[in-house]
């Protein structure tokens, strides 16, 4: 299993997570994915990368610094994209149920990303 | 000056042979001048895919969007042009005039004064700037009815290479929805609700660790509130760029059959920005510093949204 695969596998163990991906920030293409059947990974990857780029541009323009994490909350789910420095120009994108423990997802992602670095 | 048939043919041949050819811009401008806005739009969008850092192309795309009445997209493109080149006066001028049309006096003044540095003889900018100064003296930032001259289709600013002759009037501000009381000679009758909202957002925006709070209309313009960073109100910039993110978020959650979107949270090393939708299609944005707990920022954001909902209900903008 690749280093990214290990990262995704650990994040996916958090209850409520429906899958995760490593996505290229610039073009929104999936680099590695581990998703439940039925999750349209390519579309989510493209949309989350786009939202992330927009957020980054906006906040940098307003002197708030570079966006590191974007979380989109919906009535029945949650999307999460993080750009840790260890991943370079890649994003970690997580698709989860609305009842997921967000803190746990973030903690697990941070731990694994740290190990990657 | 109109292009000669020979020039048009050369540009067309160049673009046909190589879609990445820089000839896309003069060709698009030619189409625009001929009234073929859709063809011009397609050319510029395709050209920008190959030349994403072409400042003039972003400006031209902004002009095309402005002419088709898509002011949020126009703002976005001019904003990108300025991000690429902060000295691009035509985009600065265009954004300033657009903000003035929308009653964003503070931001309009900032942009127009800079635009004037590029051309001190620009009578239109001078005239609008005088009106902006007068508006700011009359009442700070309140959405007010536009004067006859300002409400008339304004000439959209453009570079010398991209003159604009007739731009459509901007849509009405969301702060004064169709069901809201009509404007009067003395001012907008919904002013009392607006004043209450301004006070509430001002108070919440000064809570511990909070940078600011703003209510945005469906087009991404600030209705009320401020978001100050280093003494500058960054609300309009954040609003213009982040507002379309809500549409993208909606698309993403729809794709996943997750129901409606409830909010977006963006974190940087220094700040947390929380966006939540309002029933009129707009949203509230609250920014907090990272040195306060995120739960606190979310709590303040919820209170800001409640204040916004009260305003929208009182002014007829929400059920």
């Amino acid at each position: 299993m690749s280093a990214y695969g290990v990262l995704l596998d650990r994040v996916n163990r958090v209850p409520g997570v429906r899958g995760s991906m490593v996505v290229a920030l610039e073009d929104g293409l999936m680099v590695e994915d581990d998703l439940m059947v039925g999750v349209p990974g390519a579309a989510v990857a493209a949309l989350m990368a786009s939202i992330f780029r927009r957020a980054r541009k906006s906040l940098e323009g307003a002197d708030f610094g570079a966006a590191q994490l974007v979380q989109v909350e919906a009535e029945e789910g949650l999307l999460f994209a993080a750009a840790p420095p260890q991943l370079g120009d890649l994003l970690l994108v997580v698709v989860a149920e609305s009842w997921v423990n967000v803190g746990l997802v973030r903690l697990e992602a941070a731990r694994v990303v740290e190990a990657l670095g | 000056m109109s292009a000669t048939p020979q020039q048009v043919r050369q540009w067309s041949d160049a673009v046909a042979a190589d879609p990445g050819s820089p000839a896309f811009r003069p060709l698009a401008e030619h189409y625009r001048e001929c009234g073929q806005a859709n063809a011009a739009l397609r050319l510029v969008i395709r050209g920008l895919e190959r030349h994403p850092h072409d400042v003039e192309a972003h400006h031209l795309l902004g002009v095309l969007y402005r002419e088709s009445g898509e002011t949020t997209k126009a703002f976005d493109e001019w904003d990108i042009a300025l991000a690429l080149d902060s000295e691009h006066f035509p985009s600065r001028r265009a954004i300033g005039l657009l903000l003035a049309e929308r009653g964003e006096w503070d931001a309009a003044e900032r942009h127009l004064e800079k635009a004037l540095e590029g051309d001190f003889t620009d009578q239109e900018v001078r005239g609008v700037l005088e009106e902006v100064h007068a508006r700011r003296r009359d009442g700070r930032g309140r959405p007010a009815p536009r004067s006859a001259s300002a409400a008339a289709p304004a000439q959209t600013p453009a570079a010398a290479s991209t003159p604009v002759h007739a731009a459509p009037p901007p849509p009405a501000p969301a702060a004064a929805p169709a069901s809201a009381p009509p404007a009067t000679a003395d001012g907008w009758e919904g002013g009392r609700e607006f004043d209450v909202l301004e006070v509430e957002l001002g108070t919440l925006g000064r809570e511990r660790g909070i940078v600011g709070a703003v209510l945005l209309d469906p087009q991404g313009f600030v209705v009320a509130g401020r978001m100050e960073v280093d003494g500058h109100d960054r609300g309009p910039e954040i609003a213009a760029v982040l507002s379309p993110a809500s549409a993208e978020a909606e698309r993403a959650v729809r794709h996943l059959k997750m129901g409606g979107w409830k909010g977006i949270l963006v974190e940087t090393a220094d700040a947390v920005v929380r966006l939540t939708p309002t029933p009129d299609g707009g949203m509230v944005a609250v920014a907090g510093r990272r040195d306060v707990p995120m739960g606190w920022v979310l709590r303040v954001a919820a209170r800001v949204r409640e204040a916004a909902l009260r305003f929208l209900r009182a002014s007829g903008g929400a059920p």
Side-chain angles (χ1 to χ4, degrees):
Chain A
M1 191 183 285
S2 72
Y4 295 145
V6 173
L7 163 67
L8 302 183
D9 184 54
R10 286 196 51 182
V11 172
N12 288 353
R13 286 184 205 168
V14 176
V17 170
R18 295 175 64 197
S20 52
M21 301 174 267
V22 174
V23 174
L25 176 59
E26 283 310 309
D27 54 21
L29 296 176
M30 285 190 291
V31 175
E32 183 117 17
D33 70 293
D34 186 355
L35 299 162
M36 280 187 185
V37 174
V39 176
V44 176
L47 286 163
M48 283 306 284
S50 173
I51 293 172
F52 201 98
R53 285 197 303 271
R54 187 175 285 281
R56 174 166 280 184
K57 176 171 162 282
S58 166
L59 297 191
E60 276 180 345
D63 296 334
F64 278 145
Q68 296 175 336
L69 184 143
V70 173
Q71 189 176 303
V72 177
E73 293 148 39
E75 285 163 358
E76 293 165 34
L78 184 138
L79 301 169
F80 169 100
Q86 291 92 335
L87 289 186
D89 57 354
L90 299 175
L91 288 176
L92 169 64
V93 174
V94 179
V95 182
E97 304 287 354
S98 56
W99 48 265
V100 75
N101 184 329
V102 177
L104 205 54
V105 174
R106 295 171 62 148
L107 194 62
E108 196 57 48
R111 274 189 194 145
V112 182
V113 163
E114 204 170 307
L116 276 182
Chain B
M1 194 174 73
S2 296
T4 64
Q6 191 182 4
Q7 280 177 308
V8 174
R9 198 165 49 248
Q10 282 175 348
W11 293 330
S12 297
D13 290 347
V15 172
D18 172 16
S21 163
F24 78 90
R25 193 153 42 80
L27 186 60
E29 177 58 35
H30 170 73
Y31 281 144
R32 188 184 141 261
E33 286 175 356
C34 295
Q36 298 180 50
N38 286 339
L41 200 65
R42 280 197 300 274
L43 260 179
V44 180
I45 289 172
R46 205 171 56 190
L48 276 170
E49 286 171 5
R50 308 291 181 104
H51 302 279
H53 302 299
D54 188 326
V55 176
E56 293 298 339
H58 280 290
H59 177 75
L60 176 57
L61 187 54
V63 171
L64 287 164
Y65 279 140
R66 177 68 180 82
E67 287 177 330
S68 64
E70 296 184 84
T71 51
T72 302
K73 285 183 177 175
F75 189 106
D76 208 6
E77 290 305 322
W78 292 326
D79 191 41
I80 293 170
L82 288 178
L84 293 168
D85 177 7
S86 61
E87 300 297 309
H88 192 257
F89 291 110
S91 292
R92 183 75 68 189
R93 178 185 193 276
I95 278 186
L97 291 177
L98 188 57
L99 288 166
E101 284 178 11
R102 304 296 305 184
E104 303 282 341
W105 309 129
D106 289 355
E109 182 184 46
R110 205 165 56 239
H111 285 290
L112 290 174
E113 283 181 345
K114 276 194 179 176
L116 209 54
E117 290 172 15
D119 180 6
F120 283 105
T121 63
D122 190 327
Q123 290 305 317
E124 188 182 3
V125 169
R126 281 181 179 277
V128 174
L129 200 49
E130 278 174 22
E131 191 193 354
V132 168
H133 289 152
R135 293 283 185 187
R136 289 191 64 198
R137 278 196 302 273
D138 292 346
R140 289 190 54 87
R142 175 184 300 188
R146 309 285 300 144
S147 67
S149 62
Q155 183 174 332
T156 304
S161 60
T162 57
V164 179
H165 304 295
S179 55
T184 68
D186 299 329
W188 183 47
E189 284 181 356
R192 198 183 65 78
E193 288 85 8
F194 178 80
D195 289 340
V196 171
L197 178 67
E198 273 286 7
V199 171
E200 285 190 280
L201 294 194
T203 306
L204 290 167
R206 285 190 297 274
E207 288 278 7
R208 176 175 60 99
I210 300 299
V211 178
V214 290
L215 169 63
L216 314 178
D217 74 9
Q219 290 188 304
F221 290 101
V222 174
V223 177
R226 294 177 72 79
M227 200 168 275
E228 286 207 2
V229 180
D230 297 332
H232 297 288
D233 182 13
R234 300 297 196 180
E237 283 100 322
I238 287 186
V241 187
L242 268 189
S243 188
S246 67
E248 290 180 45
E250 209 169 353
R251 270 207 307 277
V253 299
R254 197 172 53 231
H255 233 94
L256 285 169
K257 299 181 174 59
M258 287 178 165
W261 76 284
K262 284 168 41 185
I264 300 177
L265 187 71
V266 186
E267 289 179 38
T268 73
D270 307 317
V272 180
V273 178
R274 172 70 166 172
L275 305 170
T276 42
T278 52
D280 66 334
M283 58 184 178
V284 293
V286 175
R289 293 196 310 266
R290 285 297 296 271
D291 56 1
V292 293
M294 190 178 309
W296 172 253
V297 178
L298 296 180
R299 194 166 278 265
V300 173
R303 288 169 59 196
V304 169
R305 186 167 185 271
E306 285 166 17
L309 292 181
R310 280 195 294 277
F311 165 75
L312 290 171
R313 274 195 294 269
S315 59

